[in-house]
Amino acid sequence: MASAPLVTHIYTADPSAHVFEGKIYVYPSHDRETDIQFNDNGDQYDMADYHVLSLDEFGGPVTDHGVALRAEDVPWVSKQLWAPDAATKNGQYYLYFPARDKQGIFRIGVAVSDKPGGPFTPDPEPIPGSYSIDPACFVDDDGQAYLYFGGIWGGQLQCWSGSGDNGKFKFDASKSGPQEPKGSDVPALLCRVAKLSEDMHTFAEEVRQIQILDDKTGKLLVADDHDRRFFEAPWMHKYNGKYYFSYSTGDTHYLAYAVGDNPYGPFTYAGRILEPVVGWTTHHSIVEFKGKWYLFYHDCELSKGVDHLRSVRMREIVYDEQGNILLAQKQ
Ligand code: FUB
């Protein structure tokens, strides 16, 4: 039931879709060929710029708006432009993007344009207090914007765990491999969120952690629960007054979701949106367009499984009477 890739002239991944000016705009990563071997650090995802895509209808032609931002044009960036997102406010468009700074630490930057397709002009420094990867900007009905972010292993979230973590990067280079907590009674690492300032350039509050609760026990999901715990790729959307927090489970390769009553949660685990695709990563967004709901995601079918050469696809989703997300059977 997969759709065709949205585009085939470039590889694209990590799609963040929004409806701007009556069209669907998609803000993906721009995957490129590299000889870097696959590793848990994600070094093979060595992207150097962003393109913005748009389309007028499901299955219709897709416009590539060209290069929207280059790594070399951002003073604080050393490499790896990973999964971006965008938002609009005050007649401007804001591109949020993670990248490694000159010390190799992932930070989140913001760039501005007066058009949804860019090009975007970056701020000279990352957002103060930002860290890790995969920013997702949600603007609530009252106009308040929130930035969700975080990703484990290559995304370095495990280096910021613990309380009072803002500003302290605790990477132990002497230990190889993932340093994620383990245990069936140890809480899993948590995604982060902060309100954005009115001008959309800074956090307006201390970074908070997003709790995902077991739907049976009401307790926090635990570190060993790799089928359900947050790994990376957060997304927030609202349906019928409820807040849907969705994410990738990383090494178990699911897109999962949890539901809450406000943008900070807590969120109660509600199920899976998508089973594993071809390729290690899975990453998505959900958007309403002309009364229907769509899931944007990526896989590696076009590159025949080359893990860092992904392609964005879209398919319709529906909700049942209880508000559960289902893949539409007819596309
Ligand atoms: O594209 C690089 C990274 O792979 C993203 O930031 C993650 O979400 C995963 O899709």
Side-chain angles (χ1 to χ4, degrees):
M1 273 296 177
S3 73
L6 287 195
V7 293
T8 55
H9 65 293
I10 54 174
Y11 287 106
T12 54
D14 308 325
S16 293
H18 293 275
V19 177
F20 294 142
E21 302 181 357
K23 297 175 195 249
I24 299 178
Y25 278 85
V26 186
Y27 299 84
S29 302
H30 175 197
D31 284 357
R32 63 170 183 166
E33 304 269 358
T34 150
D35 294 334
I36 302 167
Q37 292 300 304
F38 178 98
N39 61 33
D40 284 344
N41 215 22
D43 292 340
Q44 65 276 21
Y45 306 111
D46 189 30
M47 297 84 100
D49 63 21
Y50 293 114
H51 286 230
V52 179
L53 309 175
S54 70
L55 58 161
D56 291 316
E57 58 183 318
F58 182 41
V62 176
T63 302
D64 176 352
H65 294 264
V67 175
L69 184 70
R70 289 186 177 84
E72 66 204 50
D73 295 333
V74 189
W76 61 269
V77 165
S78 62
K79 61 177 182 175
Q80 289 181 299
L81 292 185
W82 281 14
D85 191 17
T88 186
K89 197 164 177 177
N90 311 323
Q92 298 282 290
Y93 293 87
Y94 300 90
L95 182 74
Y96 296 95
F97 59 96
R100 285 185 192 261
D101 67 13
K102 306 285 188 200
Q103 286 73 48
I105 300 175
F106 271 106
R107 305 282 181 188
I108 296 169
V110 58
V112 186
S113 178
D114 53 11
K115 297 189 294 290
F120 290 84
T121 304
D123 284 3
E125 300 288 341
I127 296 174
S130 69
Y131 54 93
S132 197
I133 59 166
D134 291 0
C137 187
F138 168 71
V139 183
D140 208 346
D141 300 334
D142 62 1
Q144 177 62 57
Y146 300 82
L147 199 70
Y148 297 81
F149 61 95
I152 301 177
W153 304 357
Q156 302 175 338
L157 189 62
Q158 68 279 7
C159 303
W160 300 94
S161 59
S163 56
D165 53 1
N166 288 331
K168 276 188 251 128
F169 184 71
K170 295 169 272 185
F171 181 69
D172 184 350
S174 65
K175 288 188 191 154
S176 61
Q179 299 166 42
E180 180 186 0
K182 292 184 172 58
S184 55
D185 52 359
V186 176
L189 292 176
L190 302 175
C191 180
R192 308 298 205 259
V193 64
K195 265 184 189 170
L196 286 167
S197 56
E198 184 57 26
D199 72 2
M200 302 289 272
H201 288 265
T202 58
F203 293 151
E205 63 180 1
E206 284 280 300
V207 172
R208 305 182 190 211
Q209 305 201 19
I210 291 286
Q211 296 189 330
I212 305 174
L213 307 179
D214 186 301
D215 49 324
K216 304 223 167 33
T217 65
K219 293 187 177 156
L220 277 175
L221 294 187
V222 295
D224 278 1
D225 190 353
H226 285 212
D227 279 356
R228 298 191 298 170
R229 61 94 168 81
F230 170 80
F231 186 92
E232 63 184 2
W235 187 256
M236 171 59 63
H237 77 280
K238 205 170 175 182
Y239 174 77
N240 255 354
K242 293 281 188 191
Y243 293 80
Y244 284 65
F245 175 73
S246 46
Y247 56 95
S248 164
T249 62
D251 55 348
T252 48
H253 319 290
Y254 300 119
L255 289 178
Y257 71 108
V259 181
D261 293 322
N262 69 73
Y264 296 124
F267 299 94
T268 301
Y269 182 81
R272 291 181 196 156
I273 303 169
L274 195 67
E275 297 296 307
V277 294
V278 176
W280 199 97
T281 65
T282 188
H283 191 123
H284 75 300
S285 59
I286 292 171
V287 69
E288 184 182 19
F289 183 60
K290 296 185 177 170
K292 293 190 170 185
W293 288 87
Y294 296 99
L295 173 73
F296 287 77
Y297 64 103
H298 69 226
D299 67 25
C300 300
E301 283 189 32
L302 186 65
S303 69
K304 301 197 167 34
V306 179
D307 199 69
H308 61 277
L309 297 178
R310 300 161 291 181
S311 301
V312 168
R313 300 171 186 261
M314 69 184 286
R315 59 178 297 175
E316 192 182 343
I317 55 169
V318 293
Y319 298 83
D320 69 13
E321 285 182 359
Q322 288 72 44
N324 297 309
I325 296 176
L326 307 171
L327 295 172
Q329 290 311 307
K330 283 194 184 154
Q331 296 289 325

